Amino acid sequence: LCIIGPSGSGKSTLIRCINYLEKYDNSGEIIVNGNLVKKGRSLKNIRTEVGMVFQNFNLFPHLTILRNIMLGPMRATKISQNKAKNIAYDLLEKVGIKDQADKYPYQLSGGQQQRVAIARALAMKPKIILFDEPTSSLDPEMVSEVLDVIKSLANTGVTMIIVTHEMAFARQVADNIIFMDDGIIVESGTPKQIFDNSRVQRTQTFLKSILKE
């Protein structure tokens, strides 16, 4: 699921509410795998099943790339250090940067750091991964390498909810698209419905303006 819309429309807030990084009011409910998202014991269960990849990577600067990925599984599931290390190496190979395992975040490019962040999210074996504009902090030449990793994940069966301004990517990868404006889900549908046959004037206006750029 890709979420598109103008800046400030509530896209990031929406996905941050899914794992309660943002509190939401009582006029609605968010349910993840049958669990109501709210403060309490169920929240811990939800967060073990919902990974998140942020705009600005949020890696621990004092830990190596390998340790950044190992930390979550070791703390959350109490697996051994050797098992966590094997998982981390496998995931770094999956995202194409196994050779960077012993470096620190500052030694990597932005694109490489974001791939580490994706590997870190995958280390928890989540059922859902939330991506909050994963390419917005990257130089243009690094965008494609991160999008390629996300495309490869699309074929693995994990559910992904992606806030993005990359319209071509959304059209190619998404099964469904939500268009948001002013905190409201204005329209939803398949990429073909949204891009080629949107029913709402606001969606059409947005797409015309952004696809011109």
Side-chain angles (χ1 to χ4, degrees):
L1 173 69
C2 283
I3 304 176
I4 63 172
S7 296
S9 60
K11 305 183 299 296
S12 294
T13 299
L14 175 61
I15 66 165
R16 288 172 66 87
C17 285
I18 293 174
N19 59 359
Y20 212 65
L21 291 177
E22 295 275 356
K23 295 181 180 179
Y24 64 96
D25 63 31
N26 293 322
S27 63
E29 294 179 335
I30 298 175
I31 298 172
V32 177
N33 288 337
N35 293 308
L36 178 65
V37 177
K38 62 179 181 179
K39 194 173 183 179
R41 182 177 294 179
S42 65
L43 186 59
K44 183 179 179 182
N45 295 332
I46 288 167
R47 284 179 173 166
T48 60
E49 297 183 343
V50 180
M52 186 150 185
V53 177
F54 299 89
Q55 296 179 33
N56 297 314
F57 324 135
N58 286 12
L59 301 175
F60 294 110
H62 64 292
L63 298 179
T64 65
I65 298 311
L66 191 69
R67 296 292 298 184
N68 261 280
I69 298 171
M70 292 170 59
L71 186 62
M74 288 175 63
R75 289 283 179 89
T77 61
K78 308 300 182 186
I79 64 173
S80 69
Q81 183 169 310
N82 282 339
K83 188 170 183 180
K85 187 180 290 186
N86 290 334
I87 290 170
Y89 275 127
D90 287 345
L91 289 170
L92 285 172
E93 185 170 19
K94 189 172 188 175
V95 299
I97 50 172
K98 187 177 180 180
D99 57 333
Q100 309 294 322
D102 295 324
K103 292 184 178 179
Y104 289 86
Y106 76 89
Q107 296 174 297
L108 273 58
S109 69
Q112 289 173 324
Q113 290 187 60
Q114 193 60 294
R115 283 191 274 169
V116 174
I118 293 170
R120 182 178 61 180
L122 289 171
M124 295 298 293
K125 298 183 179 177
K127 294 179 180 176
I128 302 168
I129 303 181
L130 310 174
F131 293 86
D132 186 7
E133 298 188 40
T135 60
S136 65
S137 296
L138 302 180
D139 293 333
E141 65 268 23
M142 296 177 184
V143 169
S144 62
E145 69 181 61
V146 172
L147 294 182
D148 285 343
V149 170
I150 298 173
K151 285 177 190 176
S152 71
L153 292 178
N155 299 317
T156 66
V158 63
T159 295
M160 297 187 290
I161 303 177
I162 308 169
V163 172
T164 184
H165 289 291
E166 303 287 339
M167 294 300 109
F169 167 76
R171 185 167 196 158
Q172 181 182 358
V173 171
D175 296 296
N176 290 286
I177 291 178
I178 282 174
F179 171 68
M180 289 189 68
D181 187 37
D182 197 23
I184 301 294
I185 295 175
V186 175
E187 188 171 2
S188 63
T190 65
K192 185 171 180 59
Q193 288 171 328
I194 297 298
F195 284 98
D196 298 337
N197 196 29
S198 59
R199 301 178 299 275
V200 180
Q201 182 62 47
R202 180 66 186 97
T203 311
Q204 296 169 15
T205 303
F206 170 77
L207 289 173
K208 279 179 184 175
S209 66
I210 202 164
L211 294 174
K212 265 184 203 173
E213 295 175 359

